[in-house]
Amino acid sequence: MSSLHDGFISVIEARDPGDDLVAWITRQQHVLEPTLVEHGGILLRGFSSDRARFARAVEVISSARVDYTGGNSPRTEVADGIFTASELPSDFRIAMHHEMSIALCMPMKIFFFCEVPSSSGGETPLCSSRRMLRVIPAAIFETIERHGGVTYVRNFHPASPFKDVAATFGTTAPREIEAICRRDGIEAEWKGPDWLQTRQTRPAFWSHPRTGERVFTATIHIWHPYCWLRELRAFGAVGATVPAHDDEPWMYARYASSTAIDHTVAEAVAEAYEREQVSFPWRTGDVLVLDNLLTSHGRTPYSGTRRILVALREPRRMDSI
């Protein structure tokens, strides 16, 4: 057994290329959890696997599924509880994040399966949360905590370039959307007949439910307009300005105290993630299991066909830990 980098992400290769993924996981289930907590993730390579085996293997490890309602990324459910990875355009880079980190109910585990690796690019870079606590300036943490956390604001409007109301909530009925928001700890306000604003205020840190470790999960580097506008320009929208409706950016983060977050803070967090990320080229049949609190992930741009499947498991209400 080796690791991707200095003990981070355990790499386990099949002794025999014919080793069945489900059978191996069933036999080794007792060691997977401590390995996952120690290394932040496990990369399984060389096992006999396909989509059906992946789905069964996930169920062996964890059958408790996570509802993706309210999630930011466009994705398709291809089997019961199995989704495509983000369907954002292939030349768009996805910044480092903990899956559903601003949701009230967050998956503790995330599973990836490589059906088809891209011809170039398309890696899933990874960052150790333990490492990020040491490299992000402490003053940033202190400032966020002094302001009571972070509020994430989304403006859903027909002119928005981002995921719309129907795709996000699975309905366009206002009462149903409001009920989902109440359930999930989201403030919802109709600014107009076709303009919904949602606000989610979350702490910047959670405690890991098994180890008690402090984990930084705030995604200000994704939600700050300065950062996502830079990504849009890199994507090809040269000269783009901040898209907005009535002077409200389509999405943004502010301190929970309603104070604006300076772009230098978001940029410092983004740069720290850039420096610390570790990646590997996907191979057909690879299975990656992550502890979603101990490890963040992203996606690099790619060319060619890329088909990575995802399963989100072990929902936990974050206000309970």
Side-chain angles (χ1 to χ4, degrees), residues 284-318:
T284 301
D286 278 353
V287 172
L288 177 66
V289 187
L290 297 181
D291 182 306
N292 191 35
L293 279 178
L294 295 179
T295 303
S296 59
H297 68 280
R299 190 198 72 186
T300 64
Y302 66 93
S303 59
T305 300
R306 177 186 188 266
R307 192 158 59 246
I308 306 293
L309 303 183
V310 174
L312 309 175
R313 292 294 188 270
E314 288 189 22
R316 182 177 288 267
R317 282 184 65 94
M318 302 310 290

Side-chain angles (χ1 to χ4, degrees), residues 7-181:
F8 177 53
I9 308 297
S10 174
V11 180
I12 301 175
E13 300 203 37
R15 292 183 179 179
D16 184 327
D19 282 351
D20 181 78
L21 175 69
V22 180
W24 187 89
I25 284 178
T26 301
R27 292 194 307 270
Q28 301 296 326
Q29 190 176 4
H30 64 289
V31 300
L32 291 180
E33 187 65 35
T35 301
L36 190 62
V37 169
E38 179 181 354
H39 299 280
I42 303 169
L43 176 61
L44 300 172
R45 302 201 115 154
F47 290 89
S48 178
S49 59
D50 53 25
R51 183 181 297 193
R53 286 189 180 94
F54 171 65
R56 292 201 301 273
V58 169
E59 291 295 312
V60 169
I61 297 173
S62 180
S63 60
R65 301 178 184 182
V66 174
D67 181 4
Y68 194 65
T69 302
N72 277 357
S73 197
R75 59 178 82 237
T76 302
E77 189 170 17
V78 297
D80 193 18
I82 306 296
F83 297 83
T84 58
S86 176
E87 295 173 358
L88 285 170
S90 61
D91 43 0
F92 192 82
R93 186 180 69 94
I94 299 176
M96 306 303 296
H97 62 285
H98 298 269
E99 194 66 38
M100 298 181 70
S101 63
I102 70 167
L104 192 60
C105 193
M106 182 180 177
M108 292 295 97
K109 290 186 176 69
I110 179 168
F111 299 79
F112 297 85
F113 174 62
C114 179
E115 274 196 333
V116 180
S118 54
S119 55
S120 66
E123 295 88 358
T124 299
L126 307 169
C127 274
S128 166
S129 301
R130 292 162 172 146
R131 177 72 180 160
M132 299 313 295
L133 276 182
R134 297 195 293 270
V135 300
I136 294 176
I140 290 178
F141 296 151
E142 292 165 3
T143 300
I144 295 174
E145 290 195 300
R146 187 170 66 251
H147 285 280
V150 178
T151 297
Y152 303 91
V153 182
R154 277 193 284 184
N155 285 292
F156 295 93
H157 186 273
S160 170
F162 298 119
K163 196 173 176 182
D164 63 19
V165 165
T168 300
F169 297 103
T171 179
T172 57
R175 289 187 178 180
E176 293 179 13
I177 292 170
E178 291 162 11
I180 292 170
C181 289

Side-chain angles (χ1 to χ4, degrees), residues 255-274:
Y255 293 121
S257 63
S258 295
T259 304
I261 299 174
D262 191 87
H263 75 86
T264 58
V265 173
E267 191 171 22
V269 173
E271 289 175 352
Y273 275 115
E274 283 291 316

